mmCIF file of all heavy atoms in Angstrom:
data_model
loop_
_atom_site.group_PDB
_atom_site.id
_atom_site.type_symbol
_atom_site.label_atom_id
_atom_site.label_comp_id
_atom_site.label_asym_id
_atom_site.label_seq_id
_atom_site.Cartn_x
_atom_site.Cartn_y
_atom_site.Cartn_z
ATOM 1 N N CYS A 1 8.422 -0.922 6.437
ATOM 2 C CA CYS A 1 9.433 0.043 6.878
ATOM 3 C C CYS A 1 10.518 -0.698 7.649
ATOM 4 O O CYS A 1 10.221 -1.451 8.580
ATOM 5 C CB CYS A 1 8.792 1.112 7.762
ATOM 6 S SG CYS A 1 7.561 2.127 6.876
ATOM 7 N N SER A 2 11.756 -0.476 7.256
ATOM 8 C CA SER A 2 12.908 -1.167 7.868
ATOM 9 C C SER A 2 13.924 -0.156 8.331
ATOM 10 O O SER A 2 14.096 0.919 7.740
ATOM 11 C CB SER A 2 13.541 -2.134 6.857
ATOM 12 O OG SER A 2 12.584 -3.006 6.300
ATOM 13 N N ASP A 3 14.641 -0.489 9.436
ATOM 14 C CA ASP A 3 15.748 0.352 9.842
ATOM 15 C C ASP A 3 17.041 -0.166 9.225
ATOM 16 O O ASP A 3 17.056 -1.190 8.549
ATOM 17 C CB ASP A 3 15.846 0.460 11.370
ATOM 18 C CG ASP A 3 16.043 -0.885 12.057
ATOM 19 O OD1 ASP A 3 16.689 -1.770 11.459
ATOM 20 O OD2 ASP A 3 15.539 -1.060 13.192
ATOM 21 N N GLU A 4 18.156 0.553 9.463
ATOM 22 C CA GLU A 4 19.428 0.182 8.850
ATOM 23 C C GLU A 4 20.351 -0.530 9.829
ATOM 24 O O GLU A 4 21.553 -0.631 9.613
ATOM 25 C CB GLU A 4 20.113 1.434 8.287
ATOM 26 C CG GLU A 4 19.319 2.091 7.181
ATOM 27 C CD GLU A 4 20.025 3.292 6.572
ATOM 28 O OE1 GLU A 4 21.217 3.483 6.887
ATOM 29 O OE2 GLU A 4 19.390 4.022 5.791
ATOM 30 N N GLY A 5 19.782 -1.046 10.942
ATOM 31 C CA GLY A 5 20.595 -1.788 11.901
ATOM 32 C C GLY A 5 20.983 -3.152 11.360
ATOM 33 O O GLY A 5 20.501 -3.609 10.308
ATOM 34 N N VAL A 6 21.903 -3.806 12.043
ATOM 35 C CA VAL A 6 22.332 -5.163 11.663
ATOM 36 C C VAL A 6 22.134 -6.068 12.876
ATOM 37 O O VAL A 6 22.813 -5.897 13.893
ATOM 38 C CB VAL A 6 23.814 -5.172 11.222
ATOM 39 C CG1 VAL A 6 24.251 -6.591 10.849
ATOM 40 C CG2 VAL A 6 24.014 -4.238 10.046
ATOM 41 N N PRO A 7 21.200 -7.050 12.808
ATOM 42 C CA PRO A 7 20.268 -7.256 11.676
ATOM 43 C C PRO A 7 19.183 -6.198 11.670
ATOM 44 O O PRO A 7 18.853 -5.624 12.703
ATOM 45 C CB PRO A 7 19.691 -8.651 11.964
ATOM 46 C CG PRO A 7 19.758 -8.771 13.449
ATOM 47 C CD PRO A 7 21.024 -8.061 13.874
ATOM 48 N N SER A 8 18.612 -5.960 10.484
ATOM 49 C CA SER A 8 17.580 -4.942 10.324
ATOM 50 C C SER A 8 16.265 -5.435 10.914
ATOM 51 O O SER A 8 15.914 -6.602 10.826
ATOM 52 C CB SER A 8 17.391 -4.615 8.848
ATOM 53 O OG SER A 8 16.349 -3.689 8.664
ATOM 54 N N LEU A 9 15.514 -4.484 11.557
ATOM 55 C CA LEU A 9 14.176 -4.772 12.057
ATOM 56 C C LEU A 9 13.168 -4.016 11.202
ATOM 57 O O LEU A 9 13.448 -2.926 10.717
ATOM 58 C CB LEU A 9 14.043 -4.353 13.521
ATOM 59 C CG LEU A 9 14.989 -5.029 14.523
ATOM 60 C CD1 LEU A 9 14.767 -4.480 15.926
ATOM 61 C CD2 LEU A 9 14.778 -6.536 14.512
ATOM 62 N N SER A 10 11.984 -4.623 11.005
ATOM 63 C CA SER A 10 11.002 -4.008 10.123
ATOM 64 C C SER A 10 9.598 -4.197 10.673
ATOM 65 O O SER A 10 9.342 -5.083 11.505
ATOM 66 C CB SER A 10 11.101 -4.590 8.715
ATOM 67 O OG SER A 10 10.811 -5.972 8.726
ATOM 68 N N SER A 11 8.678 -3.355 10.178
ATOM 69 C CA SER A 11 7.263 -3.451 10.464
ATOM 70 C C SER A 11 6.503 -3.236 9.167
ATOM 71 O O SER A 11 6.980 -2.532 8.271
ATOM 72 C CB SER A 11 6.824 -2.410 11.509
ATOM 73 O OG SER A 11 7.519 -2.608 12.724
ATOM 74 N N SER A 12 5.318 -3.840 9.064
ATOM 75 C CA SER A 12 4.515 -3.718 7.845
ATOM 76 C C SER A 12 3.079 -3.346 8.199
ATOM 77 O O SER A 12 2.592 -3.635 9.295
ATOM 78 C CB SER A 12 4.522 -5.036 7.056
ATOM 79 O OG SER A 12 5.827 -5.360 6.623
ATOM 80 N N VAL A 13 2.423 -2.702 7.238
ATOM 81 C CA VAL A 13 1.009 -2.397 7.366
ATOM 82 C C VAL A 13 0.380 -2.544 5.982
ATOM 83 O O VAL A 13 1.004 -2.223 4.966
ATOM 84 C CB VAL A 13 0.803 -0.963 7.927
ATOM 85 C CG1 VAL A 13 1.334 0.083 6.982
ATOM 86 C CG2 VAL A 13 -0.657 -0.734 8.239
ATOM 87 N N THR A 14 -0.833 -3.098 5.935
ATOM 88 C CA THR A 14 -1.531 -3.290 4.661
ATOM 89 C C THR A 14 -2.708 -2.326 4.584
ATOM 90 O O THR A 14 -3.548 -2.256 5.492
ATOM 91 C CB THR A 14 -2.030 -4.738 4.526
ATOM 92 O OG1 THR A 14 -0.899 -5.617 4.545
ATOM 93 C CG2 THR A 14 -2.771 -4.936 3.214
ATOM 94 N N LEU A 15 -2.743 -1.547 3.494
ATOM 95 C CA LEU A 15 -3.778 -0.550 3.284
ATOM 96 C C LEU A 15 -4.722 -1.052 2.205
ATOM 97 O O LEU A 15 -4.273 -1.514 1.143
ATOM 98 C CB LEU A 15 -3.159 0.787 2.854
ATOM 99 C CG LEU A 15 -2.048 1.328 3.768
ATOM 100 C CD1 LEU A 15 -1.348 2.490 3.132
ATOM 101 C CD2 LEU A 15 -2.620 1.735 5.108
ATOM 102 N N THR A 16 -6.029 -0.973 2.418
ATOM 103 C CA THR A 16 -7.027 -1.389 1.439
ATOM 104 C C THR A 16 -7.625 -0.151 0.765
ATOM 105 O O THR A 16 -8.084 0.770 1.453
ATOM 106 C CB THR A 16 -8.156 -2.208 2.112
ATOM 107 O OG1 THR A 16 -7.576 -3.366 2.708
ATOM 108 C CG2 THR A 16 -9.180 -2.645 1.091
ATOM 109 N N LEU A 17 -7.592 -0.139 -0.570
ATOM 110 C CA LEU A 17 -8.052 1.013 -1.349
ATOM 111 C C LEU A 17 -9.084 0.543 -2.368
ATOM 112 O O LEU A 17 -8.812 -0.341 -3.188
ATOM 113 C CB LEU A 17 -6.864 1.686 -2.058
ATOM 114 C CG LEU A 17 -7.189 2.936 -2.864
ATOM 115 C CD1 LEU A 17 -7.621 4.058 -1.921
ATOM 116 C CD2 LEU A 17 -5.978 3.357 -3.691
ATOM 117 N N GLN A 18 -10.298 1.112 -2.311
ATOM 118 C CA GLN A 18 -11.353 0.852 -3.284
ATOM 119 C C GLN A 18 -11.279 1.891 -4.413
ATOM 120 O O GLN A 18 -11.092 3.079 -4.147
ATOM 121 C CB GLN A 18 -12.727 0.908 -2.612
ATOM 122 C CG GLN A 18 -12.913 -0.057 -1.460
ATOM 123 C CD GLN A 18 -12.964 -1.505 -1.914
ATOM 124 O OE1 GLN A 18 -13.369 -1.787 -3.043
ATOM 125 N NE2 GLN A 18 -12.537 -2.418 -1.047
ATOM 126 N N ILE A 19 -11.443 1.426 -5.653
ATOM 127 C CA ILE A 19 -11.431 2.313 -6.813
ATOM 128 C C ILE A 19 -12.884 2.571 -7.208
ATOM 129 O O ILE A 19 -13.623 1.632 -7.521
ATOM 130 C CB ILE A 19 -10.645 1.711 -7.982
ATOM 131 C CG1 ILE A 19 -9.255 1.237 -7.508
ATOM 132 C CG2 ILE A 19 -10.518 2.705 -9.116
ATOM 133 C CD1 ILE A 19 -8.410 2.329 -6.917
ATOM 134 N N SER A 20 -13.302 3.840 -7.159
ATOM 135 C CA SER A 20 -14.688 4.165 -7.521
ATOM 136 C C SER A 20 -14.791 4.458 -9.038
ATOM 137 O O SER A 20 -13.838 4.897 -9.672
ATOM 138 C CB SER A 20 -15.177 5.368 -6.712
ATOM 139 O OG SER A 20 -14.356 6.494 -6.959
ATOM 140 N N ASP A 21 -15.982 4.211 -9.579
ATOM 141 C CA ASP A 21 -16.195 4.239 -11.035
ATOM 142 C C ASP A 21 -16.467 5.653 -11.541
ATOM 143 O O ASP A 21 -17.069 6.473 -10.866
ATOM 144 C CB ASP A 21 -17.385 3.332 -11.356
ATOM 145 C CG ASP A 21 -17.563 3.149 -12.854
ATOM 146 O OD1 ASP A 21 -16.538 3.030 -13.539
ATOM 147 O OD2 ASP A 21 -18.731 3.127 -13.305
ATOM 148 N N VAL A 22 -15.986 5.932 -12.757
ATOM 149 C CA VAL A 22 -16.424 7.084 -13.544
ATOM 150 C C VAL A 22 -16.931 6.542 -14.874
ATOM 151 O O VAL A 22 -16.541 5.445 -15.317
ATOM 152 C CB VAL A 22 -15.278 8.109 -13.758
ATOM 153 C CG1 VAL A 22 -14.850 8.686 -12.444
ATOM 154 C CG2 VAL A 22 -14.102 7.492 -14.495
ATOM 155 N N ASN A 23 -17.786 7.276 -15.529
ATOM 156 C CA ASN A 23 -18.400 6.805 -16.785
ATOM 157 C C ASN A 23 -17.436 7.040 -17.943
ATOM 158 O O ASN A 23 -17.540 7.993 -18.706
ATOM 159 C CB ASN A 23 -19.721 7.531 -17.012
ATOM 160 C CG ASN A 23 -20.531 6.861 -18.120
ATOM 161 O OD1 ASN A 23 -20.345 5.678 -18.386
ATOM 162 N ND2 ASN A 23 -21.407 7.624 -18.759
ATOM 163 N N ASP A 24 -16.453 6.121 -18.039
ATOM 164 C CA ASP A 24 -15.412 6.266 -19.069
ATOM 165 C C ASP A 24 -15.501 5.183 -20.145
ATOM 166 O O ASP A 24 -14.561 4.980 -20.904
ATOM 167 C CB ASP A 24 -14.025 6.272 -18.429
ATOM 168 C CG ASP A 24 -13.764 5.039 -17.599
ATOM 169 O OD1 ASP A 24 -14.721 4.253 -17.381
ATOM 170 O OD2 ASP A 24 -12.610 4.851 -17.166
ATOM 171 N N ASN A 25 -16.629 4.430 -20.214
ATOM 172 C CA ASN A 25 -16.817 3.411 -21.255
ATOM 173 C C ASN A 25 -18.205 3.571 -21.874
ATOM 174 O O ASN A 25 -19.215 3.650 -21.179
ATOM 175 C CB ASN A 25 -16.694 2.005 -20.660
ATOM 176 C CG ASN A 25 -15.278 1.685 -20.204
ATOM 177 O OD1 ASN A 25 -14.444 1.304 -21.007
ATOM 178 N ND2 ASN A 25 -15.011 1.904 -18.914
ATOM 179 N N ALA A 26 -18.246 3.598 -23.226
ATOM 180 C CA ALA A 26 -19.528 3.661 -23.948
ATOM 181 C C ALA A 26 -20.078 2.241 -24.124
ATOM 182 O O ALA A 26 -19.320 1.264 -24.115
ATOM 183 C CB ALA A 26 -19.325 4.306 -25.309
#
């Protein structure tokens, strides 16, 4: 996320997402 100032200041965050399985392969 960044602001529109000059110079611009920003902050970051990292989100971890696990994908759970469904039985979609024979």
Side-chain angles (χ1 to χ4, degrees):
C1 296
S2 307
D3 59 33
E4 297 183 11
V6 179
S8 176
L9 300 178
S10 63
S11 299
S12 298
V13 64
T14 299
L15 308 170
T16 300
L17 183 67
Q18 302 291 332
I19 309 301
S20 60
D21 187 40
V22 296
N23 192 24
D24 56 351
N25 291 277

